[in-house]
Amino acid sequence: MPLQLVWFKRDVRLHDHAPLAAAARHGPVLGVYLFEPAVLGAPDADAQHLAFVVDCLAELRARLRRRGSELLLRTGDALEGLERLVQELPITALWAHEETGNAVTYARDRRVRAWARARGLPFHELPSGGVVRRLVTRDGWAEHWESVVRAPVVRPPTRFPPLPWADGATGALAPPPGEPPSAEALGVRAHAPRAHPRRGGERAAHALLASFLESRGADYRRAMSSPVTAFDTCSRLSPYLAFGALSGRQAWQAARRRGAELRATPDADERWRGSLQSFTARLAWRDHFIQKLESEPRIEHEPFSKAYASLRPADPDPERLAAWIEGRTGYPFVDACMRALRAEGWLNFRMRAMLVSFASYHLWLPWQATAVALAPHFLDYEPGIHYSQFQMQSGTTGINTVRIYNPYKQSREQDPTGAFIRRWVPELAAVSDDDVHAPHEMPGLMAQLSGLRLGRDYPYPVVDHAVAYTEAKARLYAVRQATAARAEARAVFERHGSRRRRLEDG
Ligand SMILES: Cc1cc2nc3c(=O)[nH]c(=O)nc-3n(C[C@H](O)[C@H](O)[C@H](O)COP(=O)(O)OP(=O)(O)OC[C@H]3O[C@@H](n4cnc5c(N)ncnc54)[C@H](O)[C@@H]3O)c2cc1C
């Protein structure tokens, strides 16, 4: 009996999985997940990614088995793994979602397509969410996206066609299911100890979605910007969306259902309206950003606008890079955010933007280096969002409003009492609410009273804010105002710009 092979990548779920459901209409289905050292051992990956996907796979395997299918786990080069399976088993078609990944997975997918063609093996790749392969124009993209999220969620078969070895009568031998490899075997690095590892899987994703929509998210629109409140108030769904334990469509439809329910509820909390709108808009941003990388894979390494190609040095200053990534810049709020991210594997949007703005403007580090350095610390690392956002926060898209965050202003606005700073920078525990944002400005007596020895317990600021800010702005605008940059900006907008201003400002 011919087998349909479904290759799970960043879509480790049973529900709303179009390739899985389509494959089942053609015969018995075997799933496979390939642990690739080239992907998981790369500098942008981390042991937390491996642990999370292993968790997702354990649940997925159990669910597939209950419905009469199986999930194989294999380790090694993807092409070799697939070739071996095709040699060993009567596989007649390969199914997968289109993946918009980094340069490594992009090259791997091209090789797999060429291999399947040469072998005469049909390889069906179906779109991931609203992202469009070989998109010609952004005109009409938002409408297309909406039609995708409004379409019904794809149901998995309640029972898959039986596998050839299921009844024992055919004489076919079941392949060994395989187990996840260790981090060491894959060459995966743990870049930092993580405080509260997240449980992977569809069940955990739906529980988080429910708690967000039922209670946590009421104040989302207002509370998302401060790290004091964001850890509880934001949905925290990003790792599940990034690894595909949850689809954007599932999240979007659940939010819309909740909106309808609240509209029918007398005396419903008014805050929900704006919060749900902000949430569903962000689910659209997700695909909007991924589309940029899908359309132009080079933006992982090159600026959207070529006018900015030599704005910053190609090689980062190693001392500045180390101070930034280790959370010891002498800017308490910046350091607190970085340390929180390193421990938790997550940080809210505004604080991510501030960290990158600080690296790109104050420290004048090339975004290519900081993007790779930060990626392992995001459990939700999603190349399409990551590289686009790094470029936006570094001023190299040419089409977005330039935002150079003032870390002291952010600190006073988002963490007025310094509670967040003190939690993550315990060296400053005894410093007053007022001084904790800029301890180097403390009068001598206050410093003595707090017991803080600047330069020993906690560093002096690595750069002077006013000087760095002024210099960065001058350098950036010198390029931005040049004729070549303006012409480039028009081309970038044509290719990538949102046609709906409400999506974002580019
Ligand atoms: C420099 C930088 C790098 C980033 N890198 C990533 C990344 O690698 N992976 C990632 O998922 N997000 C990234 N983001 C976007 C954003 O910070 C996270 O999606 C968000 O903080 C995740 O938390 P949440 O799930 O609670 O989001 P919520 O606020 O609850 O939003 C729901 C979902 O919408 C999507 N979303 C939210 N904000 C954005 C945004 N600004 N752009 C695109 N999609 C968005 C995410 O999928 C998110 O899970 C980055 C932002 C910046 C500034």
Side-chain angles (χ1 to χ4, degrees):
M1 181 75 165
L3 288 169
Q4 309 294 312
L5 186 66
V6 176
W7 178 15
F8 289 94
K9 299 167 161 188
R10 288 174 70 100
D11 52 356
V12 283
R13 63 178 180 271
L14 179 71
H15 297 270
D16 206 26
H17 197 295
L20 183 66
R25 289 196 285 275
H26 289 76
V29 170
L30 199 54
V32 65
Y33 185 86
L34 300 156
F35 293 93
E36 301 164 84
V39 176
L40 284 158
D44 57 358
D46 185 83
Q48 65 170 338
H49 299 139
L50 174 65
F52 189 80
V53 78
V54 164
D55 232 21
C56 294
L57 291 166
E59 188 194 74
L60 178 61
R61 177 181 260 181
R63 290 183 161 195
L64 285 170
R65 282 180 178 168
R66 275 201 295 278
R67 290 165 191 247
S69 182
E70 174 61 289
L71 177 65
L72 306 180
L73 303 182
R74 296 291 184 265
T75 301
D77 174 72
L79 224 158
E80 285 170 20
L82 291 170
E83 169 65 25
R84 210 167 301 127
L85 284 172
V86 171
Q87 279 180 19
E88 289 164 4
L89 298 162
I91 290 164
T92 51
L94 179 62
W95 299 80
H97 271 117
E98 288 168 349
E99 178 179 356
T100 307
N102 60 12
V104 177
T105 61
Y106 180 61
R108 172 260 269 150
D109 283 346
R110 289 172 69 118
R111 282 191 297 129
V112 170
R113 272 194 291 278
W115 161 83
R117 219 176 303 123
R119 246 192 164 284
L121 180 73
F123 181 16
H124 309 287
E125 283 185 287
L126 305 188
S128 292
V131 178
V132 181
R133 191 147 281 184
R134 286 179 278 280
L135 184 71
V136 180
T137 168
R138 272 290 184 138
D139 294 345
W141 185 90
E143 291 74 17
H144 163 78
W145 184 84
E146 205 156 313
S147 72
V148 170
V149 288
R150 281 182 186 280
V153 162
V154 180
R155 285 171 184 274
T158 41
R159 195 82 209 148
F160 285 92
L163 289 162
W165 48 85
D167 61 4
T170 52
L173 285 182
E179 292 306 321
S182 66
E184 297 74 48
L186 270 174
V188 183
R189 261 188 74 193
H191 291 76
R194 313 291 172 193
H196 306 101
R198 289 254 136 187
R199 270 239 84 94
E202 287 176 270
R203 194 170 298 123
H206 285 277
L208 208 54
L209 177 62
S211 73
F212 174 72
L213 293 177
E214 279 159 24
S215 54
R216 287 191 299 116
D219 205 23
Y220 170 73
R221 179 175 270 184
R222 194 194 59 83
M224 67 166 89
S225 296
S226 164
V228 177
T229 43
F231 279 77
D232 289 327
T233 314
C234 286
S235 76
R236 308 291 304 272
L237 287 167
S238 49
Y240 300 90
L241 291 162
F243 284 89
L246 183 75
S247 72
R249 177 195 283 145
Q250 288 173 305
W252 189 86
Q253 292 190 3
R256 298 284 289 205
R257 277 197 301 276
R258 175 70 171 137
E261 184 187 299
L262 285 161
R263 279 194 297 281
T265 310
D267 305 329
D269 187 336
E270 273 298 309
R271 295 171 304 170
W272 274 112
R273 222 175 104 87
S275 289
L276 289 177
Q277 265 172 15
S278 296
F279 178 66
T280 49
R282 276 158 184 75
L283 291 171
W285 293 2
R286 180 182 160 70
D287 282 358
H288 170 70
F289 281 104
I290 296 175
Q291 184 68 58
K292 296 184 191 218
L293 183 65
E294 173 62 40
S295 297
E296 250 190 309
R298 67 167 190 91
I299 62 139
E300 179 180 344
H301 304 292
E302 297 170 15
F304 277 97
S305 168
K306 295 193 179 95
Y308 299 87
S310 39
L311 177 65
R312 297 183 177 88
D315 296 319
D317 176 317
E319 279 171 25
R320 286 185 173 194
L321 179 61
W324 177 72
I325 198 72
E326 289 164 17
R328 45 176 185 80
T329 64
Y331 280 73
F333 195 47
V334 170
D335 292 341
C337 287
M338 184 61 89
R339 295 185 197 182
L341 167 64
R342 292 171 66 98
E344 302 288 339
W346 186 87
L347 190 65
N348 59 320
F349 172 79
R350 184 185 284 244
M351 297 303 103
R352 293 187 197 202
M354 182 189 72
L355 282 184
V356 175
S357 159
F358 187 80
S360 293
Y361 294 115
H362 289 76
L363 304 181
W364 208 244
L365 295 168
W367 60 267
Q368 291 91 333
T370 50
V372 172
L374 211 57
H377 297 289
F378 287 166
L379 177 57
D380 59 26
Y381 170 51
E382 175 71 62
I385 307 177
H386 196 71
Y387 294 104
S388 306
Q389 280 292 349
F390 259 79
Q391 292 218 38
M392 268 178 79
Q393 309 306 336
S394 307
T396 57
T397 67
I399 61 171
N400 300 103
T401 314
V402 173
R403 289 197 192 94
I404 308 180
Y405 287 82
N406 176 337
Y408 295 126
K409 182 167 175 283
Q410 290 300 316
S411 187
R412 292 201 164 87
E413 283 178 7
Q414 307 300 342
D415 185 24
T417 67
F420 183 78
I421 293 178
R422 286 197 200 82
R423 173 163 177 218
W424 294 104
V425 187
E427 302 95 295
L428 303 177
V431 180
S432 73
D433 290 8
D434 237 18
D435 293 322
V436 78
H437 307 282
H440 64 286
E441 287 175 0
M442 250 192 301
L445 185 63
M446 292 297 287
Q448 259 178 23
L449 285 175
S450 74
L452 179 73
R453 294 164 306 172
L454 267 183
R456 289 178 66 182
D457 303 329
Y458 184 70
Y460 282 102
V462 63
V463 289
D464 178 88
H465 164 67
V467 173
Y469 178 91
T470 311
E471 265 181 23
K473 208 168 159 187
R475 284 164 160 175
L476 182 75
Y477 277 94
V479 177
R480 201 168 163 99
Q481 276 150 8
T483 321
R486 288 165 190 259
E488 276 274 331
R490 276 192 292 278
V492 174
F493 181 81
E494 226 9 78
R495 185 113 203 229
H496 299 286
S498 162
R499 303 300 195 259
R500 281 190 183 178
R501 302 308 291 173
R502 76 178 169 86
L503 265 180
E504 44 104 48
D505 67 344

